[in-house]
Short mmCIF file of all heavy atoms in Angstrom, two decimals:
data_model
loop_
_atom_site.label_atom_id
_atom_site.label_comp_id
_atom_site.label_asym_id
_atom_site.label_seq_id
_atom_site.Cartn_x
_atom_site.Cartn_y
_atom_site.Cartn_z
N MET A 706 54.19 114.95 63.35
CA MET A 706 54.84 114.27 64.46
C MET A 706 56.30 113.95 64.19
O MET A 706 57.13 114.01 65.06
CB MET A 706 54.10 112.95 64.78
CG MET A 706 52.87 113.16 65.67
SD MET A 706 53.14 114.18 67.13
CE MET A 706 53.12 112.96 68.43
N ALA A 707 56.57 113.62 62.94
CA ALA A 707 57.94 113.26 62.59
C ALA A 707 58.89 114.45 62.73
O ALA A 707 60.08 114.28 62.88
CB ALA A 707 57.99 112.72 61.17
N LYS A 708 58.29 115.62 62.69
CA LYS A 708 59.12 116.82 62.74
C LYS A 708 59.54 117.17 64.17
O LYS A 708 60.47 117.93 64.38
CB LYS A 708 58.32 118.00 62.15
CG LYS A 708 58.30 117.97 60.64
CD LYS A 708 59.44 118.79 60.07
CE LYS A 708 59.45 118.66 58.56
NZ LYS A 708 60.69 119.09 57.97
N LEU A 709 58.81 116.64 65.12
CA LEU A 709 58.99 117.08 66.49
C LEU A 709 60.40 116.89 67.05
O LEU A 709 60.96 117.82 67.61
CB LEU A 709 57.96 116.39 67.39
CG LEU A 709 57.85 116.98 68.79
CD1 LEU A 709 57.48 118.45 68.74
CD2 LEU A 709 56.85 116.21 69.63
N PRO A 710 60.98 115.71 66.90
CA PRO A 710 62.33 115.51 67.45
C PRO A 710 63.33 116.50 66.88
O PRO A 710 64.20 116.99 67.59
CB PRO A 710 62.69 114.09 67.04
CG PRO A 710 61.37 113.43 66.82
CD PRO A 710 60.46 114.51 66.28
N GLU A 711 63.17 116.77 65.60
CA GLU A 711 64.08 117.70 64.94
C GLU A 711 63.96 119.09 65.55
O GLU A 711 64.94 119.75 65.85
CB GLU A 711 63.71 117.76 63.46
CG GLU A 711 64.78 118.40 62.59
CD GLU A 711 64.31 118.46 61.16
OE1 GLU A 711 63.99 117.39 60.61
OE2 GLU A 711 64.26 119.56 60.61
N LYS A 712 62.72 119.49 65.78
CA LYS A 712 62.49 120.80 66.37
C LYS A 712 63.01 120.86 67.79
O LYS A 712 63.55 121.87 68.24
CB LYS A 712 60.98 121.12 66.37
CG LYS A 712 60.49 121.64 65.05
CD LYS A 712 59.22 122.44 65.23
CE LYS A 712 58.91 123.21 63.97
NZ LYS A 712 57.59 123.84 64.01
N LEU A 713 62.84 119.79 68.48
CA LEU A 713 63.28 119.72 69.86
C LEU A 713 64.80 119.84 69.92
O LEU A 713 65.36 120.53 70.76
CB LEU A 713 62.84 118.38 70.45
CG LEU A 713 62.56 118.37 71.95
CD1 LEU A 713 61.43 119.32 72.29
CD2 LEU A 713 62.20 116.97 72.40
N THR A 714 65.45 119.16 69.01
CA THR A 714 66.91 119.24 68.93
C THR A 714 67.36 120.66 68.66
O THR A 714 68.31 121.16 69.26
CB THR A 714 67.44 118.32 67.82
OG1 THR A 714 66.80 117.07 67.92
CG2 THR A 714 68.94 118.14 67.93
N GLU A 715 66.63 121.29 67.75
CA GLU A 715 66.94 122.68 67.43
C GLU A 715 66.83 123.56 68.66
O GLU A 715 67.68 124.39 68.94
CB GLU A 715 65.96 123.19 66.37
CG GLU A 715 66.59 123.43 65.02
CD GLU A 715 65.51 123.73 64.00
OE1 GLU A 715 64.89 124.79 64.13
OE2 GLU A 715 65.28 122.89 63.13
N LEU A 716 65.74 123.35 69.39
CA LEU A 716 65.48 124.14 70.59
C LEU A 716 66.60 123.94 71.61
O LEU A 716 67.11 124.89 72.20
CB LEU A 716 64.14 123.74 71.20
CG LEU A 716 63.70 124.49 72.45
CD1 LEU A 716 63.46 125.95 72.12
CD2 LEU A 716 62.44 123.88 73.03
N LEU A 717 66.97 122.70 71.80
CA LEU A 717 68.02 122.40 72.76
C LEU A 717 69.34 123.02 72.35
O LEU A 717 70.11 123.51 73.17
CB LEU A 717 68.18 120.89 72.92
CG LEU A 717 67.01 120.21 73.63
CD1 LEU A 717 67.17 118.70 73.62
CD2 LEU A 717 66.87 120.70 75.05
N LYS A 718 69.60 122.99 71.05
CA LYS A 718 70.82 123.61 70.55
C LYS A 718 70.83 125.10 70.84
O LYS A 718 71.83 125.68 71.25
CB LYS A 718 70.91 123.38 69.03
CG LYS A 718 71.82 122.23 68.66
CD LYS A 718 72.07 122.24 67.17
CE LYS A 718 72.00 120.82 66.61
NZ LYS A 718 71.79 120.82 65.15
N LEU A 719 69.67 125.71 70.62
CA LEU A 719 69.53 127.13 70.88
C LEU A 719 69.79 127.44 72.34
O LEU A 719 70.44 128.42 72.70
CB LEU A 719 68.13 127.61 70.51
CG LEU A 719 67.85 127.80 69.02
CD1 LEU A 719 66.39 128.15 68.81
CD2 LEU A 719 68.72 128.91 68.47
N LEU A 720 69.27 126.59 73.19
CA LEU A 720 69.39 126.83 74.62
C LEU A 720 70.83 126.64 75.09
O LEU A 720 71.25 127.23 76.07
CB LEU A 720 68.47 125.88 75.39
CG LEU A 720 66.98 126.17 75.21
CD1 LEU A 720 66.15 125.09 75.87
CD2 LEU A 720 66.61 127.52 75.78
N GLN A 721 71.54 125.79 74.40
CA GLN A 721 72.92 125.51 74.80
C GLN A 721 73.88 126.59 74.32
O GLN A 721 74.94 126.78 74.89
CB GLN A 721 73.35 124.16 74.23
CG GLN A 721 72.92 123.00 75.11
CD GLN A 721 73.18 121.68 74.43
OE1 GLN A 721 73.59 121.65 73.27
NE2 GLN A 721 72.96 120.59 75.13
N LYS A 722 73.48 127.20 73.24
CA LYS A 722 74.33 128.22 72.65
C LYS A 722 74.63 129.34 73.65
O LYS A 722 73.79 129.70 74.44
CB LYS A 722 73.63 128.83 71.43
CG LYS A 722 74.47 128.74 70.18
CD LYS A 722 73.62 129.04 68.98
CE LYS A 722 73.51 130.53 68.72
NZ LYS A 722 72.74 130.81 67.51
N THR A 723 75.83 129.84 73.60
CA THR A 723 76.12 130.99 74.43
C THR A 723 75.23 132.13 74.01
O THR A 723 75.01 132.35 72.84
CB THR A 723 77.59 131.45 74.28
OG1 THR A 723 78.31 130.44 73.59
CG2 THR A 723 78.18 131.75 75.62
N ASN A 724 74.76 132.82 74.99
CA ASN A 724 73.76 133.85 74.70
C ASN A 724 74.36 135.15 74.20
O ASN A 724 75.11 135.79 74.90
CB ASN A 724 72.94 134.12 75.95
CG ASN A 724 71.67 133.32 75.95
OD1 ASN A 724 71.61 132.27 75.32
ND2 ASN A 724 70.68 133.80 76.63
N GLU A 725 73.96 135.51 72.99
CA GLU A 725 74.34 136.83 72.52
C GLU A 725 73.35 137.85 73.06
O GLU A 725 73.66 139.00 73.26
CB GLU A 725 74.32 136.90 70.99
CG GLU A 725 75.21 135.87 70.33
CD GLU A 725 74.40 134.70 69.80
OE1 GLU A 725 73.27 134.91 69.36
OE2 GLU A 725 74.92 133.57 69.86
N ASP A 726 72.15 137.34 73.29
CA ASP A 726 71.09 138.25 73.72
C ASP A 726 70.61 137.87 75.11
O ASP A 726 69.48 137.49 75.32
CB ASP A 726 69.93 138.22 72.73
CG ASP A 726 69.56 136.80 72.36
OD1 ASP A 726 70.35 135.90 72.65
OD2 ASP A 726 68.48 136.61 71.80
N GLU A 727 71.52 137.95 76.04
CA GLU A 727 71.18 137.62 77.41
C GLU A 727 70.26 138.70 78.00
O GLU A 727 70.45 139.89 77.75
CB GLU A 727 72.47 137.54 78.23
CG GLU A 727 72.36 136.56 79.37
CD GLU A 727 73.74 136.08 79.79
OE1 GLU A 727 74.46 135.53 78.94
OE2 GLU A 727 74.08 136.28 80.95
N ILE A 728 69.32 138.27 78.78
CA ILE A 728 68.39 139.24 79.36
C ILE A 728 68.71 139.44 80.84
O ILE A 728 69.32 138.59 81.49
CB ILE A 728 66.93 138.78 79.21
CG1 ILE A 728 66.68 137.49 79.98
CG2 ILE A 728 66.57 138.62 77.75
CD1 ILE A 728 65.21 137.09 79.99
N ASP A 729 68.30 140.59 81.36
CA ASP A 729 68.50 140.82 82.78
C ASP A 729 67.20 140.51 83.53
O ASP A 729 66.21 140.10 82.96
CB ASP A 729 68.98 142.24 83.03
CG ASP A 729 67.98 143.27 82.55
OD1 ASP A 729 66.81 142.92 82.30
OD2 ASP A 729 68.37 144.44 82.43
N CYS A 730 67.24 140.72 84.84
CA CYS A 730 66.11 140.33 85.68
C CYS A 730 64.84 141.09 85.29
O CYS A 730 63.75 140.53 85.29
CB CYS A 730 66.44 140.56 87.15
SG CYS A 730 67.75 139.48 87.74
N ASP A 731 64.98 142.35 84.97
CA ASP A 731 63.81 143.14 84.59
C ASP A 731 63.16 142.58 83.34
O ASP A 731 61.95 142.42 83.26
CB ASP A 731 64.21 144.60 84.34
CG ASP A 731 64.46 145.34 85.64
OD1 ASP A 731 64.05 144.82 86.70
OD2 ASP A 731 65.07 146.41 85.60
N ALA A 732 64.00 142.28 82.36
CA ALA A 732 63.49 141.73 81.11
C ALA A 732 62.84 140.37 81.36
O ALA A 732 61.82 140.04 80.75
CB ALA A 732 64.62 141.59 80.10
N PHE A 733 63.43 139.62 82.26
CA PHE A 733 62.89 138.31 82.58
C PHE A 733 61.44 138.42 83.05
O PHE A 733 60.55 137.70 82.58
CB PHE A 733 63.74 137.65 83.66
CG PHE A 733 63.17 136.34 84.14
CD1 PHE A 733 63.41 135.18 83.42
CD2 PHE A 733 62.39 136.28 85.28
CE1 PHE A 733 62.88 133.97 83.86
CE2 PHE A 733 61.86 135.08 85.73
CZ PHE A 733 62.10 133.92 85.01
N TRP A 734 61.19 139.32 83.97
CA TRP A 734 59.83 139.45 84.52
C TRP A 734 58.88 140.10 83.55
O TRP A 734 57.67 139.88 83.59
CB TRP A 734 59.88 140.19 85.85
CG TRP A 734 60.53 139.30 86.88
CD1 TRP A 734 61.78 139.43 87.40
CD2 TRP A 734 59.98 138.11 87.45
NE1 TRP A 734 62.03 138.39 88.26
CE2 TRP A 734 60.95 137.57 88.31
CE3 TRP A 734 58.76 137.44 87.29
CZ2 TRP A 734 60.73 136.40 89.03
CZ3 TRP A 734 58.55 136.27 88.02
CH2 TRP A 734 59.52 135.77 88.88
N GLU A 735 59.42 140.93 82.67
CA GLU A 735 58.59 141.49 81.62
C GLU A 735 58.08 140.38 80.71
O GLU A 735 56.90 140.31 80.37
CB GLU A 735 59.42 142.46 80.77
CG GLU A 735 58.97 143.90 80.89
CD GLU A 735 59.93 144.83 80.18
OE1 GLU A 735 60.03 144.73 78.96
OE2 GLU A 735 60.61 145.61 80.87
N ILE A 736 58.99 139.51 80.34
CA ILE A 736 58.62 138.40 79.48
C ILE A 736 57.67 137.46 80.20
O ILE A 736 56.70 136.96 79.63
CB ILE A 736 59.88 137.63 79.01
CG1 ILE A 736 60.72 138.53 78.11
CG2 ILE A 736 59.48 136.37 78.26
CD1 ILE A 736 62.05 137.93 77.72
N ALA A 737 57.93 137.24 81.49
CA ALA A 737 57.06 136.36 82.28
C ALA A 737 55.63 136.87 82.25
O ALA A 737 54.68 136.10 82.09
CB ALA A 737 57.57 136.28 83.71
N ALA A 738 55.47 138.19 82.41
CA ALA A 738 54.13 138.78 82.39
C ALA A 738 53.50 138.62 81.02
O ALA A 738 52.32 138.33 80.89
CB ALA A 738 54.22 140.26 82.76
N GLU A 739 54.32 138.79 80.00
CA GLU A 739 53.81 138.67 78.63
C GLU A 739 53.38 137.25 78.32
O GLU A 739 52.35 137.01 77.72
CB GLU A 739 54.91 139.08 77.64
CG GLU A 739 54.78 140.52 77.20
CD GLU A 739 55.68 140.79 76.02
OE1 GLU A 739 55.60 140.09 75.00
OE2 GLU A 739 56.50 141.71 76.14
N LEU A 740 54.21 136.31 78.74
CA LEU A 740 53.93 134.91 78.42
C LEU A 740 52.64 134.44 79.06
O LEU A 740 51.94 133.59 78.53
CB LEU A 740 55.09 134.02 78.89
CG LEU A 740 56.40 134.18 78.12
CD1 LEU A 740 57.40 133.15 78.62
CD2 LEU A 740 56.18 134.00 76.64
N SER A 741 52.31 135.01 80.22
CA SER A 741 51.11 134.59 80.92
C SER A 741 49.86 135.06 80.19
O SER A 741 48.76 134.59 80.44
CB SER A 741 51.12 135.12 82.35
OG SER A 741 51.05 136.53 82.34
N GLU A 742 50.04 136.00 79.28
CA GLU A 742 48.89 136.53 78.56
C GLU A 742 48.81 136.03 77.13
O GLU A 742 47.89 136.33 76.40
CB GLU A 742 48.96 138.07 78.53
CG GLU A 742 48.67 138.67 79.89
CD GLU A 742 48.99 140.15 79.90
OE1 GLU A 742 49.27 140.70 78.82
OE2 GLU A 742 48.97 140.74 80.98
N ARG A 743 49.83 135.29 76.73
CA ARG A 743 49.88 134.85 75.34
C ARG A 743 49.90 133.34 75.23
O ARG A 743 50.38 132.65 76.11
CB ARG A 743 51.12 135.42 74.66
CG ARG A 743 50.89 136.80 74.10
CD ARG A 743 52.02 137.15 73.20
NE ARG A 743 53.29 137.17 73.95
CZ ARG A 743 54.47 137.28 73.37
NH1 ARG A 743 54.57 137.34 72.07
NH2 ARG A 743 55.56 137.30 74.09
N ASP A 744 49.42 132.85 74.10
CA ASP A 744 49.45 131.42 73.85
C ASP A 744 50.65 131.04 73.01
O ASP A 744 51.16 129.93 73.09
CB ASP A 744 48.19 130.98 73.10
CG ASP A 744 46.96 131.12 73.98
OD1 ASP A 744 47.11 130.99 75.20
OD2 ASP A 744 45.88 131.37 73.44
N THR A 745 51.11 131.98 72.21
CA THR A 745 52.23 131.68 71.33
C THR A 745 53.52 132.24 71.92
O THR A 745 53.52 133.26 72.59
CB THR A 745 52.01 132.29 69.94
OG1 THR A 745 51.67 133.67 70.09
CG2 THR A 745 50.90 131.57 69.21
N LEU A 746 54.59 131.54 71.64
CA LEU A 746 55.88 131.95 72.17
C LEU A 746 56.85 132.30 71.05
O LEU A 746 56.89 131.64 70.03
CB LEU A 746 56.49 130.82 73.00
CG LEU A 746 55.66 130.33 74.18
CD1 LEU A 746 56.34 129.13 74.81
CD2 LEU A 746 55.45 131.43 75.19
N ASP A 747 57.60 133.34 71.30
CA ASP A 747 58.67 133.68 70.38
C ASP A 747 59.91 132.92 70.80
O ASP A 747 60.30 132.94 71.97
CB ASP A 747 58.93 135.19 70.43
CG ASP A 747 60.00 135.59 69.46
OD1 ASP A 747 59.65 135.83 68.30
OD2 ASP A 747 61.17 135.66 69.88
N ILE A 748 60.54 132.25 69.86
CA ILE A 748 61.64 131.36 70.20
C ILE A 748 62.81 132.10 70.84
O ILE A 748 63.45 131.62 71.76
CB ILE A 748 62.09 130.55 68.97
CG1 ILE A 748 63.09 129.45 69.36
CG2 ILE A 748 62.68 131.44 67.90
CD1 ILE A 748 62.47 128.33 70.15
N ASP A 749 63.07 133.29 70.38
CA ASP A 749 64.17 134.07 70.94
C ASP A 749 63.88 134.52 72.36
O ASP A 749 64.75 134.49 73.22
CB ASP A 749 64.45 135.30 70.07
CG ASP A 749 65.15 134.92 68.78
OD1 ASP A 749 65.92 133.94 68.80
OD2 ASP A 749 64.93 135.59 67.77
N GLU A 750 62.66 134.90 72.58
CA GLU A 750 62.24 135.28 73.92
C GLU A 750 62.35 134.11 74.87
O GLU A 750 62.89 134.20 75.96
CB GLU A 750 60.79 135.78 73.90
CG GLU A 750 60.67 137.27 73.66
CD GLU A 750 59.21 137.69 73.63
OE1 GLU A 750 58.34 136.80 73.62
OE2 GLU A 750 58.98 138.88 73.62
N LEU A 751 61.81 132.99 74.41
CA LEU A 751 61.80 131.79 75.22
C LEU A 751 63.22 131.35 75.55
O LEU A 751 63.53 130.94 76.67
CB LEU A 751 61.07 130.68 74.47
CG LEU A 751 60.71 129.44 75.28
CD1 LEU A 751 59.70 129.78 76.36
CD2 LEU A 751 60.16 128.35 74.39
N LYS A 752 64.08 131.48 74.59
CA LYS A 752 65.48 131.11 74.74
C LYS A 752 66.14 131.92 75.86
O LYS A 752 66.73 131.38 76.80
CB LYS A 752 66.21 131.34 73.41
CG LYS A 752 67.65 130.94 73.41
CD LYS A 752 68.22 131.07 72.01
CE LYS A 752 68.35 132.52 71.57
NZ LYS A 752 69.24 132.69 70.41
N GLY A 753 66.01 133.24 75.76
CA GLY A 753 66.60 134.10 76.77
C GLY A 753 65.96 133.91 78.12
O GLY A 753 66.63 133.95 79.16
N TYR A 754 64.67 133.66 78.08
CA TYR A 754 63.89 133.47 79.30
C TYR A 754 64.37 132.26 80.08
O TYR A 754 64.68 132.34 81.27
CB TYR A 754 62.44 133.32 78.87
CG TYR A 754 61.44 133.17 79.97
CD1 TYR A 754 61.03 134.26 80.71
CD2 TYR A 754 60.89 131.92 80.24
CE1 TYR A 754 60.09 134.13 81.71
CE2 TYR A 754 59.94 131.78 81.24
CZ TYR A 754 59.55 132.88 81.97
OH TYR A 754 58.62 132.73 82.95
N LEU A 755 64.42 131.12 79.39
CA LEU A 755 64.84 129.88 80.05
C LEU A 755 66.29 129.96 80.49
O LEU A 755 66.67 129.43 81.53
CB LEU A 755 64.64 128.69 79.10
CG LEU A 755 63.17 128.37 78.79
CD1 LEU A 755 63.09 127.25 77.77
CD2 LEU A 755 62.41 128.00 80.04
N HIS A 756 67.08 130.63 79.68
CA HIS A 756 68.49 130.76 80.01
C HIS A 756 68.66 131.57 81.30
O HIS A 756 69.48 131.23 82.15
CB HIS A 756 69.22 131.46 78.85
CG HIS A 756 70.71 131.46 79.01
ND1 HIS A 756 71.46 130.33 78.81
CD2 HIS A 756 71.57 132.43 79.35
CE1 HIS A 756 72.73 130.63 79.04
NE2 HIS A 756 72.82 131.89 79.36
N HIS A 757 67.87 132.58 81.44
CA HIS A 757 67.96 133.40 82.65
C HIS A 757 67.53 132.60 83.88
O HIS A 757 68.13 132.71 84.94
CB HIS A 757 67.09 134.66 82.51
CG HIS A 757 67.29 135.62 83.64
ND1 HIS A 757 68.37 136.46 83.72
CD2 HIS A 757 66.57 135.84 84.76
CE1 HIS A 757 68.29 137.16 84.83
NE2 HIS A 757 67.20 136.81 85.50
N LEU A 758 66.50 131.79 83.71
CA LEU A 758 66.05 130.94 84.82
C LEU A 758 67.18 130.04 85.30
O LEU A 758 67.32 129.75 86.49
CB LEU A 758 64.89 130.06 84.36
CG LEU A 758 63.48 130.46 84.80
CD1 LEU A 758 62.50 129.37 84.44
CD2 LEU A 758 63.41 130.75 86.28
N GLU A 759 67.99 129.59 84.35
CA GLU A 759 69.10 128.71 84.69
C GLU A 759 70.22 129.45 85.38
O GLU A 759 70.87 128.94 86.29
CB GLU A 759 69.64 128.06 83.41
CG GLU A 759 69.09 126.68 83.15
CD GLU A 759 69.52 126.19 81.79
OE1 GLU A 759 70.71 126.36 81.45
OE2 GLU A 759 68.67 125.67 81.06
N LEU A 760 70.43 130.67 84.92
CA LEU A 760 71.58 131.43 85.40
C LEU A 760 71.31 132.18 86.69
O LEU A 760 72.23 132.48 87.45
CB LEU A 760 72.00 132.45 84.34
CG LEU A 760 72.70 131.92 83.10
CD1 LEU A 760 73.16 133.07 82.24
CD2 LEU A 760 73.87 131.03 83.47
N CYS A 761 70.06 132.51 86.95
CA CYS A 761 69.75 133.40 88.05
C CYS A 761 68.93 132.69 89.11
O CYS A 761 67.72 132.53 88.96
CB CYS A 761 69.00 134.61 87.49
SG CYS A 761 68.65 135.85 88.73
N PRO A 762 69.56 132.25 90.17
CA PRO A 762 68.87 131.51 91.23
C PRO A 762 67.75 132.34 91.86
O PRO A 762 66.72 131.82 92.26
CB PRO A 762 69.97 131.23 92.27
CG PRO A 762 71.25 131.40 91.54
CD PRO A 762 70.99 132.40 90.45
N GLY A 763 67.98 133.64 91.96
CA GLY A 763 66.98 134.52 92.55
C GLY A 763 65.67 134.49 91.78
O GLY A 763 64.60 134.31 92.35
N CYS A 764 65.76 134.65 90.48
CA CYS A 764 64.57 134.63 89.64
C CYS A 764 63.95 133.25 89.60
O CYS A 764 62.73 133.10 89.60
CB CYS A 764 64.89 135.10 88.22
SG CYS A 764 65.02 136.90 88.09
N ALA A 765 64.80 132.23 89.57
CA ALA A 765 64.30 130.86 89.53
C ALA A 765 63.48 130.58 90.78
O ALA A 765 62.41 129.96 90.72
CB ALA A 765 65.47 129.89 89.43
N GLU A 766 63.96 131.07 91.91
CA GLU A 766 63.26 130.84 93.16
C GLU A 766 61.93 131.59 93.18
O GLU A 766 60.89 131.04 93.53
CB GLU A 766 64.15 131.33 94.31
CG GLU A 766 63.76 130.73 95.65
CD GLU A 766 64.72 131.17 96.74
OE1 GLU A 766 65.94 131.01 96.55
OE2 GLU A 766 64.26 131.71 97.75
N GLU A 767 61.99 132.86 92.79
CA GLU A 767 60.77 133.66 92.75
C GLU A 767 59.76 133.07 91.79
O GLU A 767 58.55 133.06 92.05
CB GLU A 767 61.10 135.09 92.31
CG GLU A 767 61.16 136.05 93.47
CD GLU A 767 61.31 137.48 92.97
OE1 GLU A 767 60.30 138.06 92.59
OE2 GLU A 767 62.45 137.97 92.94
N PHE A 768 60.27 132.60 90.68
CA PHE A 768 59.41 132.02 89.65
C PHE A 768 58.73 130.76 90.18
O PHE A 768 57.55 130.52 89.94
CB PHE A 768 60.25 131.69 88.42
CG PHE A 768 59.44 131.20 87.26
CD1 PHE A 768 58.67 132.08 86.54
CD2 PHE A 768 59.46 129.86 86.90
CE1 PHE A 768 57.91 131.64 85.46
CE2 PHE A 768 58.71 129.41 85.83
CZ PHE A 768 57.93 130.30 85.10
N ALA A 769 59.48 129.95 90.92
CA ALA A 769 58.93 128.73 91.50
C ALA A 769 57.84 129.06 92.51
O ALA A 769 56.80 128.42 92.56
CB ALA A 769 60.04 127.91 92.15
N LEU A 770 58.09 130.09 93.30
CA LEU A 770 57.10 130.54 94.29
C LEU A 770 55.82 131.00 93.59
O LEU A 770 54.70 130.64 93.99
CB LEU A 770 57.66 131.68 95.11
CG LEU A 770 58.63 131.33 96.24
CD1 LEU A 770 59.19 132.60 96.87
CD2 LEU A 770 57.95 130.47 97.28
N LEU A 771 56.03 131.76 92.55
CA LEU A 771 54.91 132.30 91.78
C LEU A 771 54.08 131.17 91.19
O LEU A 771 52.85 131.18 91.24
CB LEU A 771 55.46 133.20 90.67
CG LEU A 771 54.55 134.31 90.18
CD1 LEU A 771 54.47 135.41 91.22
CD2 LEU A 771 55.06 134.87 88.87
N LYS A 772 54.77 130.21 90.64
CA LYS A 772 54.11 129.07 90.03
C LYS A 772 53.30 128.28 91.06
O LYS A 772 52.19 127.85 90.81
CB LYS A 772 55.14 128.15 89.36
CG LYS A 772 54.89 127.97 87.89
CD LYS A 772 56.01 127.29 87.17
CE LYS A 772 56.38 125.91 87.71
NZ LYS A 772 57.44 125.26 86.93
N ALA A 773 53.91 128.13 92.23
CA ALA A 773 53.24 127.39 93.30
C ALA A 773 51.97 128.14 93.73
O ALA A 773 50.94 127.52 93.99
CB ALA A 773 54.18 127.23 94.49
N MET A 774 52.07 129.45 93.78
CA MET A 774 50.91 130.26 94.15
C MET A 774 49.78 130.11 93.14
O MET A 774 48.62 129.95 93.49
CB MET A 774 51.31 131.74 94.23
CG MET A 774 51.75 132.16 95.62
SD MET A 774 52.50 133.81 95.57
CE MET A 774 51.14 134.77 94.90
N VAL A 775 50.17 130.15 91.87
CA VAL A 775 49.17 130.04 90.80
C VAL A 775 48.52 128.67 90.82
O VAL A 775 47.30 128.53 90.69
CB VAL A 775 49.83 130.30 89.43
CG1 VAL A 775 48.88 129.95 88.31
CG2 VAL A 775 50.25 131.76 89.33
N ASN A 776 49.32 127.67 91.00
CA ASN A 776 48.79 126.30 91.01
C ASN A 776 47.93 126.04 92.23
O ASN A 776 47.05 125.19 92.22
CB ASN A 776 49.96 125.29 90.99
CG ASN A 776 50.64 125.27 89.64
OD1 ASN A 776 50.05 125.67 88.64
ND2 ASN A 776 51.88 124.83 89.61
N ASP A 777 48.22 126.77 93.29
CA ASP A 777 47.51 126.57 94.54
C ASP A 777 46.10 127.10 94.48
O ASP A 777 45.22 126.66 95.19
CB ASP A 777 48.30 127.31 95.65
CG ASP A 777 48.19 126.57 96.97
OD1 ASP A 777 48.15 125.33 96.92
OD2 ASP A 777 48.16 127.23 98.01
N ASP A 778 45.91 128.08 93.62
CA ASP A 778 44.65 128.80 93.60
C ASP A 778 43.48 127.93 93.12
O ASP A 778 43.47 127.48 92.04
CB ASP A 778 44.79 130.03 92.67
CG ASP A 778 43.73 131.06 93.02
OD1 ASP A 778 43.30 131.08 94.18
OD2 ASP A 778 43.35 131.82 92.13
ZN1 ZN B 311 67.26 137.24 87.47
#
């Protein structure tokens, strides 16, 4: 438990960092499909993934719709 804040800080730092490995919309949805089938996350994937959600209103909107559909079921 004591480690958690430290890890969280690390994660936030990663997310704030300018992206060297920015993903495009295709990659975003590829990762989205992968994440839905996996329990574990790769930090680099997650980083690019969340960053794209922030940068791309189109994907963010679609993603929100998708999430709403899944939750609705
Ligand atoms: Zn996009």
Side-chain angles (χ1 to χ4, degrees):
M706 277 312 253
K708 282 268 176 196
L709 192 59
E711 195 182 303
K712 278 203 167 171
L713 210 61
T714 314
E715 250 172 67
L716 181 65
L717 290 174
K718 261 191 222 161
L719 283 175
L720 291 173
Q721 276 172 355
K722 235 167 85 177
T723 348
N724 264 26
E725 303 102 34
D726 46 346
E727 211 157 302
I728 64 173
D729 61 16
C730 294
D731 285 345
F733 175 83
W734 290 106
E735 246 173 66
I736 294 174
E739 264 192 54
L740 290 185
S741 65
E742 288 170 8
R743 274 193 298 171
D744 293 330
T745 50
L746 301 175
D747 182 86
I748 189 70
D749 286 328
E750 270 179 351
L751 192 66
K752 182 174 70 163
Y754 182 78
L755 293 176
H756 189 74
H757 187 78
L758 257 189
E759 263 172 45
L760 287 186
C761 184
C764 281
E766 199 176 308
E767 259 187 81
F768 185 73
L770 282 175
L771 207 73
K772 239 170 57 177
M774 268 169 59
V775 170
N776 289 338
D777 214 34
D778 201 27

